[in-house]
Amino acid sequence: MKLVLGRDDLASAALSAAREAGAEPERVDIKPVHKASRGFVNASDVDLCELAIVTVLQAVAHGKPVLLLPVTTLGRHQHQTLVTLGGLSVADVEGHSVGVRAWSQTTGVWVRGFLAEQYGVDLRKAAWTTYEGHHVDGAEDPSWVKRAPEGTKLPADFLAGNVDFGIMGNELPADDRIRTAIDDAHQVAEEWSKDQGFIPVNHVVGVSESAAAEHGAAVLAAYDAMRAVLAAKEEGGTVALHPVGFAGLRAAFTKAAAYALEQDVIPRAVDYDELVERTCTALGVPPSRLGG
């Protein structure tokens, strides 16, 4: 049973629990963790894998044998990831160029959703550029999005002034010229989360259908162990930073799925209950067994 998890504490807990449940688990070290997604989604080359929330939605929409294990491995505010070098602001997105690493990158999906919903931006009136393809075979960029030349990277393109705005999380370069396009972005993000009742989720855990069939007890044990780790470290704010369980992830997944459909990231609507049913059927458990 092969596992890919970016956090050492979660990986250690999952490995120990799976071993006690009778499996022979092995942690596969892939950094950054999102580079494991393509092999997991398209070839099931590992059994349990940390995935971006939008990758889960795309995988299900394209009929891949991927199940959601409702554990949040990364949650964070996102409004601050829309950046610019000049005097432009969020009000100027229409009519200007915006770069994002990949159209299906979860950070980009969240930010474009904010732009449309909070700021009234017509996304098709911005000039979008992507730099990478999708993790899920069969997914394509919309016709109204262009791909940068092969080998071009967003951070360098942004610093060179070739795009007016960039959407960047961990890949944000260090440069004193960079500023957030949304004024008081962190405060706006906190208010958004209070209103919505959740912090945007980036990464969760996926399980292959074959692993659910072969290692069901170990998968459930890993879930319990990861849930315990996250519960012990939860900071107790107004909204959970790392929600666990189907109920805890419902709001974030539902909102992300709506944004993804509006942005042509997924080819069909994906209802959250479809994800719940797929996982519970494969593992032979009721939703309540997985917090739901």
Side-chain angles (χ1 to χ4, degrees), residues 159-257:
L159 291 176
N162 295 327
V163 290
D164 300 312
F165 296 91
I167 298 176
M168 288 179 279
N170 294 336
E171 69 268 49
L172 182 69
D175 191 303
D176 291 340
R177 298 174 295 163
I178 297 174
R179 63 181 189 80
T180 58
I182 297 172
D183 290 338
D184 301 315
H186 288 282
Q187 181 178 341
V188 171
E190 289 180 3
E191 290 299 323
W192 185 91
S193 288
K194 287 179 183 177
D195 291 342
Q196 298 289 329
F198 65 89
I199 288 177
V201 171
N202 258 47
H203 290 184
V204 291
V205 177
V207 177
S208 68
E209 289 182 355
S210 59
E214 185 178 354
H215 305 292
V219 169
L220 292 170
Y223 165 81
D224 291 340
M226 290 187 286
R227 179 185 60 186
V229 169
L230 292 172
K233 295 186 176 181
E234 189 59 54
E235 297 177 0
T238 55
V239 292
L241 184 59
H242 294 93
V244 177
F246 285 128
L249 278 164
R250 178 175 290 276
F253 257 96
T254 300
K255 179 67 78 173

Side-chain angles (χ1 to χ4, degrees), residues 120-136:
V121 173
D122 184 340
L123 298 177
R124 288 162 176 77
K125 291 184 178 178
W128 294 93
T129 299
T130 61
Y131 296 78
E132 296 179 11
H134 303 258
H135 295 312
V136 179

Side-chain angles (χ1 to χ4, degrees), residues 2-276:
K2 295 182 178 180
L3 290 70
V4 176
L5 292 165
R7 286 180 50 166
D8 292 340
D9 56 349
L10 295 181
S12 178
L15 286 167
S16 179
R19 191 173 295 113
E20 290 179 9
E24 297 181 2
E26 170 194 355
R27 184 184 186 186
V28 181
D29 189 19
I30 299 177
K31 296 179 180 178
V33 71
H34 71 79
K35 290 189 177 295
S37 300
R38 175 170 288 279
F40 169 73
V41 168
N42 301 298
S44 298
D45 61 0
V46 296
D47 300 294
L48 185 149
C49 186
E50 181 171 334
L51 288 179
I53 187 173
V54 174
T55 302
V56 174
L57 293 168
Q58 272 197 331
V60 171
H62 285 272
K64 304 298 183 182
V66 171
L67 307 170
L68 168 65
L69 195 65
V71 175
T72 301
T73 59
L74 176 61
R76 71 178 181 204
H77 293 306
Q78 302 282 9
H79 287 72
Q80 76 283 355
T81 63
L82 178 67
V83 295
T84 184
L85 291 175
L88 299 174
S89 75
V90 66
D92 301 306
V93 169
E94 289 186 12
H96 287 85
S97 55
V98 190
V100 61
R101 177 172 57 81
W103 192 248
S104 56
Q105 183 184 16
T106 295
T107 296
V109 171
W110 283 120
V111 171
R112 291 192 300 269
F114 304 152
L115 289 174
E117 194 169 63
Q118 286 185 275
Y119 299 97
V121 173
D122 184 340
L123 298 177
R124 288 162 176 77
K125 291 184 178 178
W128 294 93
T129 299
T130 61
Y131 296 78
E132 296 179 11
H134 303 258
H135 295 312
V136 179
D137 287 350
E140 297 180 354
D141 288 354
S143 60
W144 42 281
V145 174
K146 76 171 186 178
R147 180 66 56 83
E150 187 71 26
T152 308
K153 300 295 184 183
L154 172 57
D157 219 22
F158 172 73
L159 291 176
N162 295 327
V163 290
D164 300 312
F165 296 91
I167 298 176
M168 288 179 279
N170 294 336
E171 69 268 49
L172 182 69
D175 191 303
D176 291 340
R177 298 174 295 163
I178 297 174
R179 63 181 189 80
T180 58
I182 297 172
D183 290 338
D184 301 315
H186 288 282
Q187 181 178 341
V188 171
E190 289 180 3
E191 290 299 323
W192 185 91
S193 288
K194 287 179 183 177
D195 291 342
Q196 298 289 329
F198 65 89
I199 288 177
V201 171
N202 258 47
H203 290 184
V204 291
V205 177
V207 177
S208 68
E209 289 182 355
S210 59
E214 185 178 354
H215 305 292
V219 169
L220 292 170
Y223 165 81
D224 291 340
M226 290 187 286
R227 179 185 60 186
V229 169
L230 292 172
K233 295 186 176 181
E234 189 59 54
E235 297 177 0
T238 55
V239 292
L241 184 59
H242 294 93
V244 177
F246 285 128
L249 278 164
R250 178 175 290 276
F253 257 96
T254 300
K255 179 67 78 173
Y259 284 169
L261 185 64
E262 292 166 358
Q263 299 166 24
D264 293 340
V265 175
I266 52 177
R268 67 168 178 87
V270 177
D271 187 84
Y272 187 63
D273 287 325
E274 177 184 352
L275 304 183
V276 175

